[in-house]
């Protein structure tokens, strides 16, 4: 557990950082000039308002000149923060209208808040449109119900974003940028998951069209966050400010004494609040019963110990259940199991045996299964939406769509994930470290695919990272591995992003490495990267030649380690073992 890896920076990276910094300072100088000019105009106009009657009587032409100058400066700032947006005209129009209605919206921070608020308004508009649609079949009605739940989640996280921006000074806003990107990326995922839930046809097309504005405005908000963050980080770096995470005994100084104690004794089992046991020797016979008894607004970590046993139940850690720790007697001893599946008429979103929604969820030594089998299609063992969620020494078993890493930041350490088709999928920012990725035997007419990442916008800070993992065949697949093709991933969505680095890849993986979804969909826009992998399946000479497939260097690979990619300081406080940098 080398925490110092996060602080280590080679001289080569220092030199590159300095080069980029000089470029960013030059870019920011233009932005700074526009901002200073705008503030100066705002101050001038503010002073002028205190003598409004004199100004109107004596110098009406001066007032008009001041207003014209203010408008010009505001427009410059709007153009500055919208210039990289994919939907630039819509970005500028919305902000320009907002400033006309309220001239006090002159700071980039205010404009960012306005852009996110406009996205929340568009969510309401889209929901109102879809409410008016006709849902004739049970599948359509169920998809609409899911959609309403998902878009309520989107509204809530947009509200969080507006609050964070509105209640942050410039320094705080810079540190909160990863959180804003996290929430806005999740909003992207929610609206796409809503659309995906509908059967193919005119209704699905209508729903997609209704949410088109949500997608565009969320994309614009992500672009504006990047522009504002660039401006802020440039001057913070130029001023020599940096974060020193490791100050005492190799642990962050901000970490409480109790959390440091947990880290130093991570193999100890924490004292549970409640114990679950099938044989009646605990406080509850079911895991759902233990969760239902959790006090509202519980302070600290709520710890549930699950004794050995196979628990046949659907378990949901709701969004209100924050900072839950669940640990068992081993991933093949304490097991949650179910068999919901798509073929039997259950939507993929609802097939999960276990669902984690509450922020800060931590699981240790637990097993999660979906036993539906390969002939039943999509059948999720675990669906994880919880932000800052951690799984250590856990096991996920299924076939198609085993682990749905749906949204937000997720970390998996020393876990086993077993499946066949797209068995690690979703649109989370998820790092799998030191995990066993076990490829099982599919149906005779199927190909195995390890990942299907679902990023729909290039600015989403999401992706699947397999780091220091081992990808190997299940024993039952070994006799058939020459007849059944297996791949590292395929692009579920247009900007699909998956990185495999410093991992051991057995000969189970086809020399192409990656599989198209359909035709050339996503092949130009995806990001599939490999770095320093070993094993017979890691040979890259015959890899696909798609524009989006890359063999990356150490510097680029570092960006997908836990520190930069997950901004993973939060993992420390859970007591989970974590390696922040590269291993080589």
């Amino acid at each position: 557990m080398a925490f110092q890896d996060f602080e280590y920076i080679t001289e080569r990276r220092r030199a590159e950082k300095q080069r980029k910094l000089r470029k960013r300072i030059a870019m920011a100088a233009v932005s700074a000039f526009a901002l200073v000019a705008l503030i100066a105009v705002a101050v001038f106009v503010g002073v002028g308002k205190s003598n409004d009657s004199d100004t109107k009587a004596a110098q009406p032409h001066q007032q008009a000149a001041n207003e014209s100058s203010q408008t010009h400066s505001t427009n410059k700032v709007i153009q500055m923060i919208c210039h990289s947006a994919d939907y630039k005209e819509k970005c500028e129009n919305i902000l320009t209208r907002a400033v006309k209605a309220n001239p006090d919206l002159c700071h980039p921070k205010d404009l960012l808040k306005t852009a996110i608020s406009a996205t929340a308004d568009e969510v309401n508009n889209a929901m109102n449109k879809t409410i008016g649609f006709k849902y004739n079949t049970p599948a359509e009605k169920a998809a609409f119900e899911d959609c309403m739940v998902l878009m309520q989640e989107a509204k809530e996280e947009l509200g969080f974003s507006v609050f964070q921006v509105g209640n942050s000074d410039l320094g705080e806003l810079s540190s909160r940028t990863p959180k804003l990107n996290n929430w806005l990326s999740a909003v992207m995922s929610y609206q796409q998951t809503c659309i995906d839930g509908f059967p193919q046809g005119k209704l699905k097309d209508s729903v997609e069209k209704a949410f088109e504005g949500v997608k565009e405005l969320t994309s614009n908000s992500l672009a504006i966050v990047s522009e504002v963050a660039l401006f802020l980080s440039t001057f913070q770096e130029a001023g020599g400010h940096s974060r020193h995470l490791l100050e005492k005994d190799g642990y962050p100084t901000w970490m409480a004494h109790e959390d440091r104690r947990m880290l130093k004794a991570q193999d100890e089992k924490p004292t549970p609040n409640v114990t679950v046991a099938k044989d009646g020797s605990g406080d509850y016979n079911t895991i759902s019963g233990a969760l239902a008894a959790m006090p509202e607004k519980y302070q600290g970590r709520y710890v549930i110990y699950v004794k050995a046993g196979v628990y046949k139940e659907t378990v949901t850690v709701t969004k209100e259940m924050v900072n839950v720790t669940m640990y068992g007697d081993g991933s093949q001893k304490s097991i949650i199991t179910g068999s919901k599946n798509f073929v039997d008429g259950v939507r993929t979103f609802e097939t999960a045996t276990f669902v984690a929604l509450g922020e800060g969820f931590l699981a240790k030594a637990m097993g999660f299964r979906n036993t539906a089998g390969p002939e039943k299609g999509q059948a999720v063992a675990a669906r994880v939406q919880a932000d800052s969620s951690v799984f250590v020494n856990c096991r996920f078993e299924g076939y198609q769509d085993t682990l749905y890493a749906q949204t937000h930041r997720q970390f998996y350490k020393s876990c086993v994930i077993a499946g066949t088709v797209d068995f690690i999928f979703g649109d989370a920012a998820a790092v799998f470290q030191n995990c066993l990725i076990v490829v099982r035997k599919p149906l005779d007419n199927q190909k195995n695919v390890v990942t299907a990442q679902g990023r729909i916008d290039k600015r989403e800070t999401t992706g699947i990272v397999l780091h220091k993992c081992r990808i190997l065949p299940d024993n039952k697949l070994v006799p058939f591995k020459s007849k059944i093709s297996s791949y590292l991933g395929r692009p579920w969505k247009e900007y699909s992003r998956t990185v495999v680095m410093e991992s051991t890849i057995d000969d189970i993986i086809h020399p192409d490495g990656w599989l198209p979804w359909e035709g050339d969909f996503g092949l130009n826009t995806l990001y599939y990267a490999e770095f320093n992998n070993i094993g017979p399946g890691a040979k890259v000479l015959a890899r696909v030649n798609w524009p989006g497939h890359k063999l990356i260097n150490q510097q680029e690979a570092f960006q997908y380690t836990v520190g930069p990619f997950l901004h993973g300081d939060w993992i420390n406080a859970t007591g989970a073992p974590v390696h922040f940098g590269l291993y080589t």
Side-chain angles (χ1 to χ4, degrees):
M1 187 167 71
F3 293 98
Q4 65 270 21
D5 292 338
F6 185 59
E7 286 293 292
Y8 177 74
I9 303 176
T10 64
E11 289 302 317
R12 179 181 176 183
R13 289 186 60 247
R14 287 183 187 275
E16 178 65 15
K17 186 176 181 181
Q18 289 297 320
R19 184 188 68 78
K20 291 183 178 180
L21 178 58
R22 288 193 295 270
K23 181 178 179 181
R24 290 165 66 182
I25 288 175
M27 293 173 59
V30 178
S31 302
F33 177 80
L35 180 58
V36 170
L38 179 57
I39 293 173
V41 170
V43 171
F44 182 82
V45 172
V47 172
K49 286 182 179 179
S50 66
N51 298 300
D52 189 52
S53 59
D54 293 339
T55 302
K56 287 182 178 179
Q59 295 180 324
H61 63 283
Q62 185 63 46
Q63 181 186 15
N66 290 343
E67 291 175 351
S68 176
S69 178
Q70 181 185 17
T71 300
H72 177 75
S73 298
T74 303
N75 288 339
K76 285 293 184 183
V77 174
I78 291 173
Q79 291 172 10
M80 176 189 77
I81 65 175
C82 287
H83 88 275
S84 65
D86 286 348
Y87 309 97
K88 183 177 178 180
E89 184 176 354
K90 180 170 285 191
C91 179
E92 292 180 356
N93 289 343
I94 287 174
L95 296 183
T96 300
R97 286 198 300 268
V99 170
K100 284 183 178 179
N102 181 6
D104 292 334
L105 297 176
C106 59
H107 194 284
K109 187 187 81 167
D110 300 324
L111 296 173
L112 171 58
K113 180 180 176 181
T114 300
I116 298 174
S117 296
T119 307
D121 292 339
E122 186 61 29
V123 170
N124 285 328
N125 292 337
M127 291 176 70
N128 289 334
K129 289 178 183 177
T130 57
I131 287 172
F133 294 162
K134 291 184 178 180
Y135 304 96
N136 298 317
T137 68
E140 291 173 349
K141 292 175 182 177
F144 172 71
E145 292 173 4
D146 288 346
C147 193
M148 291 299 100
V149 171
L150 288 161
M151 298 320 296
Q152 195 60 45
E153 300 276 11
K155 286 175 60 177
E156 185 173 320
E157 297 190 23
L158 288 167
F160 292 158
S161 301
V162 169
F163 179 82
Q164 288 287 338
V165 174
N167 290 273
S168 303
D169 59 29
L170 287 180
E172 292 172 330
L173 186 58
S174 179
S175 65
R176 291 172 182 173
T177 294
K179 194 75 171 178
L180 293 173
N181 283 327
N182 175 42
W183 283 329
L184 292 171
S185 296
V187 171
M188 279 281 190
S189 178
Y190 293 143
Q191 60 96 14
Q192 188 60 49
T193 304
C194 163
I195 295 167
D196 288 343
F198 287 91
Q200 292 293 336
K202 291 183 178 180
L203 178 61
K204 182 173 184 174
D205 294 341
S206 297
V207 172
E208 186 168 14
K209 185 175 181 181
F211 281 98
E212 186 176 6
V214 177
K215 178 180 178 180
E216 292 175 354
L217 294 188
T218 309
S219 176
N220 283 349
S221 294
L222 281 164
I224 295 173
V225 168
S226 296
E227 289 301 315
V228 175
L230 175 63
F231 174 82
L232 295 175
S233 64
T234 295
F235 285 98
Q236 286 177 341
E237 290 177 15
H241 297 294
S242 62
R243 301 179 66 201
H244 298 285
L245 298 179
L246 308 179
E247 299 288 348
K248 184 177 180 180
D249 299 328
Y251 299 98
T253 54
W254 49 260
M255 188 180 295
H257 171 75
E258 178 63 17
D259 287 332
R260 280 200 293 270
R261 187 194 67 77
M262 286 181 64
L263 277 171
K264 293 177 180 179
Q266 21 179 303
D267 292 334
E268 296 178 3
K269 292 183 177 180
T271 302
N273 294 84
V274 293
T275 298
V276 179
K278 287 184 68 66
D279 61 8
S281 62
D283 301 297
Y284 298 92
N285 296 330
T286 66
I287 300 168
S288 296
L291 285 167
M294 179 179 174
E296 292 185 13
K297 300 180 181 178
Y298 183 82
Q299 298 298 314
R301 282 211 157 265
Y302 192 76
V303 181
I304 300 174
Y305 167 42
V306 182
K307 285 189 174 183
V310 178
Y311 297 82
K312 296 181 179 180
E313 54 178 310
T314 300
V315 177
T316 299
V317 180
T318 69
K319 199 162 188 178
E320 293 71 33
M321 298 173 183
V322 177
N323 293 329
V324 170
T325 292
M326 185 181 297
Y327 73 91
D329 287 324
S331 65
Q332 297 190 77
K333 294 181 179 179
S334 300
I335 301 166
I336 306 172
T337 187
S339 59
K340 292 181 182 178
N341 62 85
F342 185 79
V343 170
D344 288 348
V346 182
R347 302 173 310 286
T348 304
F349 182 73
E350 297 290 349
T351 61
T353 301
F354 175 80
V355 180
L357 306 178
E359 183 173 356
F361 177 76
L362 168 64
K364 292 183 177 182
M366 290 289 301
F368 308 94
R369 286 179 181 168
N370 191 310
T371 59
E375 69 280 357
K376 292 292 188 176
Q378 299 94 319
V380 177
R383 175 167 67 88
V384 184
Q385 181 183 312
D387 189 27
S388 304
S389 53
V390 177
F391 294 81
V392 180
N393 294 326
C394 290
R395 190 177 186 93
F396 303 85
E397 296 180 11
Y399 288 87
Q400 183 170 348
D401 292 0
T402 301
L403 176 56
Y404 188 179
Q406 186 183 355
T407 58
H408 297 121
R409 298 168 297 177
Q410 305 176 16
F411 178 65
Y412 299 80
K413 180 74 173 186
S414 302
C415 292
V416 177
I417 305 98
T420 56
V421 181
D422 305 334
F423 63 95
I424 302 175
F425 77 110
D427 193 23
V431 174
F432 297 81
Q433 193 173 89
N434 300 105
C435 292
L436 286 179
I437 312 299
V438 181
V439 184
R440 306 178 83 175
K441 185 178 182 299
L443 298 177
D444 291 340
N445 62 342
Q446 289 180 325
K447 294 179 175 67
N448 283 320
V449 186
V450 175
T451 67
Q453 204 279 330
R455 195 169 65 137
I456 65 170
D457 187 275
K458 63 186 177 185
R459 291 182 181 82
E460 284 187 77
T461 54
T462 59
I464 293 172
V465 179
L466 305 182
H467 188 197
K468 199 66 174 180
C469 293
R470 184 177 178 188
I471 303 171
L472 71 163
D474 180 74
N475 289 337
K476 292 183 179 180
L477 177 61
V478 170
F480 304 94
K481 64 182 182 180
S482 62
K483 299 178 181 179
I484 297 174
S485 298
S486 299
Y487 299 85
L488 294 172
R490 60 175 180 161
W492 182 29
K493 301 299 178 185
E494 188 175 4
Y495 291 91
S496 180
R497 177 161 63 181
T498 300
V499 179
V500 184
M501 57 189 192
E502 298 186 306
S503 294
T504 300
I505 306 175
D506 283 16
D507 61 359
I508 184 67
I509 296 301
H510 190 282
D512 287 352
W514 308 84
L515 183 70
W517 186 271
E518 184 177 358
D520 61 356
F521 172 77
L523 303 188
N524 294 319
T525 50
L526 60 77
Y527 180 93
Y528 285 168
E530 299 180 59
F531 169 75
N532 209 22
N533 298 307
I534 61 174
K539 297 176 182 178
V540 296
L541 293 178
R543 285 291 193 256
V544 293
N545 60 353
W546 307 337
H549 176 258
K550 303 178 184 299
L551 304 176
I552 57 177
N553 59 26
Q554 186 179 35
Q555 183 178 338
E556 191 167 354
F558 180 81
Q559 299 306 313
Y560 295 97
T561 59
V562 170
F565 190 59
L566 294 185
H567 298 273
D569 305 346
W570 47 270
I571 299 172
N572 288 337
T574 67
V578 57
H579 190 96
F580 278 105
L582 293 167
Y583 285 84
T584 56

